[in-house]
Amino acid sequence: MSSSNFASELEAFQRLRDFRAILLRLHKALLESERVTYEQEYGVIASSGEFFRLVIDHEWFAWLRPMSQFIVQIDDLLSPKASATLAQAEALLTQAQDLITPHTEGTLDEHRYVQAIQRDPNVAMLYADAARVLRV
């Protein structure tokens, strides 16, 4: 492998690690933002266990599940046991761009993401950080 290919590979994997760290924070912020909105609609969630159950089972939080699954995909690729390739890392970075790009016209899930970015400054800042890492 040439030194420029090696540098490209290192950069892609580092960008993926950097994106993962921000995506975890963005995901957490989105969950908290949605929790507030959910509680305004349905009342206070009594415990963290109940919140976890709602995140897993309730339709309200379903739009966040692809993000959860994407984090697992990144973890699998970055695992020391994986023999990941540059192409796989670049493919995930491309998917990441699509995942975090807000679409003002689209599905209900995409609309809820846009709403979260607009109503919650923390979500907006983390989205901007993620976009910067991905160079969107």
Side-chain angles (χ1 to χ4, degrees), residues 19-30:
F19 175 74
R20 180 196 174 277
I22 293 167
L23 184 62
L24 284 172
R25 294 194 328 260
L26 175 60
H27 186 258
K28 181 179 179 183
L30 286 165

Side-chain angles (χ1 to χ4, degrees), residues 70-127:
F70 191 72
I71 292 167
V72 172
Q73 283 183 288
I74 294 172
D75 288 346
D76 287 347
L77 189 79
L78 294 177
S79 165
K81 295 178 184 177
S83 52
T85 65
L86 176 59
Q88 290 171 313
E90 288 175 340
L92 275 185
L93 287 167
T94 299
Q95 285 180 282
Q97 288 176 347
D98 194 43
L99 178 75
I100 68 151
T101 300
H103 303 281
T104 54
E105 294 182 17
T107 66
L108 178 60
D109 292 350
E110 291 167 337
H111 185 66
R112 291 189 61 195
Y113 179 52
V114 170
Q115 287 178 321
I117 291 170
Q118 291 172 343
R119 85 170 164 258
D120 190 321
N122 188 40
V123 170
M125 287 177 30
L126 289 165
Y127 158 71

Side-chain angles (χ1 to χ4, degrees), residues 5-19 74 77-78 85-93 133-135:
N5 285 349
F6 183 70
S8 294
E9 188 169 327
L10 286 177
E11 179 191 357
F13 281 98
Q14 187 59 52
R15 282 180 53 218
L16 196 55
R17 281 189 288 278
D18 293 346
F19 175 74
I74 294 172
L77 189 79
L78 294 177
T85 65
L86 176 59
Q88 290 171 313
E90 288 175 340
L92 275 185
L93 287 167
V133 167
L134 294 174
R135 301 177 188 130

